Amino acid sequence: MLFRLLLLALATAALTQCGTFGKKTIRDVAAEIAAKEASSAGVEGSLRPTGSDSVFVIDLVTALRLAGAENLDIRLREAESAAASARASGAMLSILPELSAGGSYVRQRGVIQDVASAPLTINRVSQTVGFGTAASGAGTYAVPGASLNFHIGDAVFSMLSAKQDRRAASAAAAAERNRVLAQAAAAYYELVRAKARVSIASEIADAAAGLANATGAFAESGQGLAADAASAKATQLLRQRETARAANAYRQSALKLVRLLHLPGDTQLVPASTSVRPLDLAPKGLSNGELVAQALAHRPEMAQYQAEVEGAIARFRHARSEAFLPTVGVGYSAGNFGAGFGGRPDRRDERNEITALIYWKLDDLGFGNRAKKRAREAELEQARVKEERLIDQITEEVLSASSDITSLKQEVSVSREAVGHAKQSYKLTTQRLNEAQGLPIEALQSISILAETRQAEIDSIIDHNIAQHRLLSALGDLGGE
């Protein structure tokens, strides 16, 4: 009774562990990141809790770390890679013999028919114990002790194709990591963009509110026009609407990053800073042709598709040679065999045997082999076309990202200069308005221009940084540690 209770307790504990496996809170993740930072001196990155249990400050480094560790698409690809590795190991082990040991008991009573078709009344028994089992009187062991039975083509080409499948799956996992990290970088910058828009919209809304109050006071005192006060009030309300829209866009960006990082749904992420600067991550001094060549050499998708082509070649060669390669079988058994009349064997003695066979086979009179060959040939062509299409895709991605970086560098410079002029215009306009020399419409225009130029500067910098990560991803440089 005590033993049963112990087993029940152990089973309950095991079920409890199974039920909680893989479930981590956001604070667990933060603790893991902190532990990694403590062991990695000089590496920036943090996931810092705020006063609320579900609000956390996140930076780019941490977003990339979490994407590499927690993203479900990456984990799925890694599981597929592990499964392909297991299948490849199984294919390589298929040439090892099967081992069987045990015993059998057979008793026959009644009428049977001999080889000459004459009826016989029998009452006999046989027993087998040892390496192999189910031996009949004059026949061989039905279950040999050691048996090896395989088609030579299956043994050779299945191992080759399984090895390439393993390579392809491993490269696909690396490609998925590279892709997800680029997505995580873009999602983080979109969060920063959204937060900056909230800040800018709020500041501009405050400025519009101040202008509306001033023009309203002027209108009431008779020093200003009621039309100007109405225009300023309408602008204030529109800016409040923009602030609300910006806040909702920020929440949507945060939700997207939470899902990408596989964090709990109630997690609220706040970017560490809304002040961004242009990054310079791309390799320097390389022409577009050199960038494309580097991408073709390092992109994990190239290794994936090349392995798929090699696997398709192995399967095609298998189908082409299948009819010409034999199936071979070898068996060995040894044990104790007893037989006799009645219910017990009269005699027992050692018994061992060796069997061997070899044969060739045509599927469907050979037409099946031909159809299989044609199917494998078509699959090989598909794999080669996919590889060529991938080369075109990688080339386009590299050149597009490189072109965007060049263009966006100019945009950053121009937008920064525009912000300087917009700030100066707003300052001078408000001064003139306070001195009763300017018009309210001028102040409204300067507020709009300032909002537009500040947002243009943020957009240019963030788009530039996203393009930098796109180029790194296109070169295959985002998937490493």
Side-chain angles (χ1 to χ4, degrees):
M1 183 64 180
L2 180 61
F3 180 70
R4 291 182 179 178
L5 291 175
L6 180 59
L7 285 179
L8 180 60
L10 291 175
T12 303
L15 290 174
T16 302
Q17 291 296 323
C18 292
T20 59
F21 178 76
K23 296 182 179 179
K24 291 190 289 187
T25 67
I26 184 65
R27 291 192 175 273
D28 294 332
V29 176
E32 291 178 5
I33 293 295
K36 291 179 181 178
E37 290 167 5
S39 61
S40 303
V43 179
E44 296 183 357
S46 62
L47 187 66
R48 302 189 303 275
T50 62
S52 173
D53 288 341
S54 59
V55 180
F56 285 80
V57 178
I58 190 171
D59 58 19
L60 176 61
V61 174
T62 305
L64 295 178
R65 284 181 178 176
L66 288 174
E70 300 295 328
N71 182 266
L72 294 181
D73 292 332
I74 293 178
R75 287 165 58 184
L76 178 60
R77 286 292 188 178
E78 289 176 345
E80 292 174 351
S81 176
S85 179
R87 287 192 294 269
S89 299
M92 289 186 287
L93 295 174
S94 63
I95 60 173
L96 297 179
E98 296 179 358
L99 302 179
S100 303
S104 64
Y105 173 84
V106 178
R107 183 174 181 181
Q108 295 177 306
R109 291 190 299 175
V111 179
I112 65 172
Q113 190 177 34
D114 64 10
V115 294
S117 301
L120 294 175
T121 301
I122 63 168
N123 182 11
R124 65 186 184 186
V125 66
S126 64
Q127 294 179 348
T128 307
V129 178
F131 190 51
T133 187
S136 60
T140 61
Y141 278 77
V143 182
S147 61
L148 189 60
N149 191 350
F150 61 89
H151 185 275
I152 292 180
D154 292 343
V156 174
F157 293 107
S158 293
M159 285 191 293
L160 294 177
S161 61
K163 180 180 179 181
Q164 298 302 326
D165 291 343
R166 177 175 60 188
R167 284 184 53 208
S170 176
E176 187 66 22
R177 176 178 292 272
N178 185 60
R179 184 188 68 82
V180 168
L181 290 181
Q183 283 186 339
Y188 173 79
Y189 279 119
E190 291 297 341
L191 181 68
V192 173
R193 188 203 306 268
K195 186 64 174 177
R197 281 180 175 172
V198 171
S199 300
I200 293 174
S202 179
E203 292 175 11
I204 297 301
D206 291 341
L211 179 62
N213 293 333
T215 54
F218 286 155
E220 290 178 359
S221 65
Q223 299 178 357
L225 299 177
D228 291 339
S231 297
K233 187 63 177 180
T235 300
Q236 176 191 3
L237 295 175
L238 288 176
R239 291 302 172 184
Q240 289 177 355
R241 172 180 176 272
E242 290 300 319
T243 302
R245 290 172 64 90
N248 181 61
Y250 169 68
R251 289 191 294 269
Q252 296 297 328
S253 297
L255 287 174
K256 181 178 179 181
L257 184 57
V258 165
R259 182 193 62 79
L260 186 64
L261 303 183
H262 188 47
L263 299 175
D266 62 343
T267 304
Q268 300 178 45
L269 296 178
V270 179
S273 174
T274 56
S275 176
V276 292
R277 58 182 178 82
L279 299 178
D280 193 9
L281 305 175
K284 300 178 179 61
L286 297 181
S287 65
N288 284 338
E290 291 171 327
L291 289 174
V292 171
Q294 179 176 333
L296 295 178
H298 293 90
R299 277 285 286 270
E301 291 95 330
M302 287 299 300
Q304 174 190 350
Y305 279 63
Q306 289 168 0
E308 290 180 359
V309 169
E310 293 297 325
I313 290 174
R315 284 184 281 271
F316 170 68
R317 290 176 176 173
H318 182 193
R320 185 177 59 183
S321 60
E322 185 176 23
F324 303 99
L325 297 175
T327 297
V328 297
V330 179
Y332 172 77
S333 303
N336 186 278
F337 180 76
F341 296 99
R344 293 186 304 174
D346 298 330
R347 182 182 174 184
R348 296 178 182 272
D349 206 345
E350 293 183 0
R351 173 172 175 169
N352 60 75
E353 63 184 39
I354 297 176
T355 59
L357 58 88
I358 182 171
Y359 63 91
W360 285 257
K361 183 179 70 171
L362 290 176
D363 294 338
D364 304 322
L365 298 178
F367 295 105
N369 299 94
R370 182 181 178 185
K372 188 182 297 185
K373 174 187 172 183
R374 292 173 60 185
R376 297 304 188 192
E377 188 174 14
E379 291 172 1
L380 173 58
E381 180 62 19
Q382 290 177 23
R384 285 172 171 165
V385 170
K386 289 180 180 179
E387 183 182 17
E388 293 178 6
R389 187 174 61 182
L390 176 65
I391 293 174
D392 294 341
Q393 176 186 335
I394 291 176
T395 301
E396 187 272 336
E397 290 176 357
V398 171
L399 297 181
S400 175
S402 178
S403 176
D404 286 346
I405 290 173
T406 301
S407 175
L408 288 167
K409 282 182 178 180
Q410 298 175 354
E411 286 189 23
V412 170
S413 177
V414 171
S415 61
R416 280 181 168 175
E417 184 178 355
V419 168
H421 289 296
K423 287 181 178 179
Q424 182 68 12
S425 173
Y426 175 72
K427 179 180 179 181
L428 295 176
T429 301
T430 53
Q431 286 178 354
R432 293 181 63 223
L433 189 63
N434 292 332
E435 296 170 359
Q437 297 179 358
L439 298 176
I441 188 65
E442 296 175 351
L444 294 176
Q445 290 175 346
S446 66
I447 289 176
S448 298
I449 293 174
L450 179 60
E452 183 178 350
T453 54
R454 288 186 62 187
Q455 190 59 58
E457 180 187 23
I458 293 292
D459 288 342
S460 298
I461 294 175
I462 288 179
D463 289 340
H464 173 269
N465 291 352
I466 291 176
Q468 291 276 341
H469 284 86
R470 278 176 47 218
L471 180 57
L472 287 184
S473 177
L475 295 175
D477 287 344
L478 270 179
E481 295 297 327

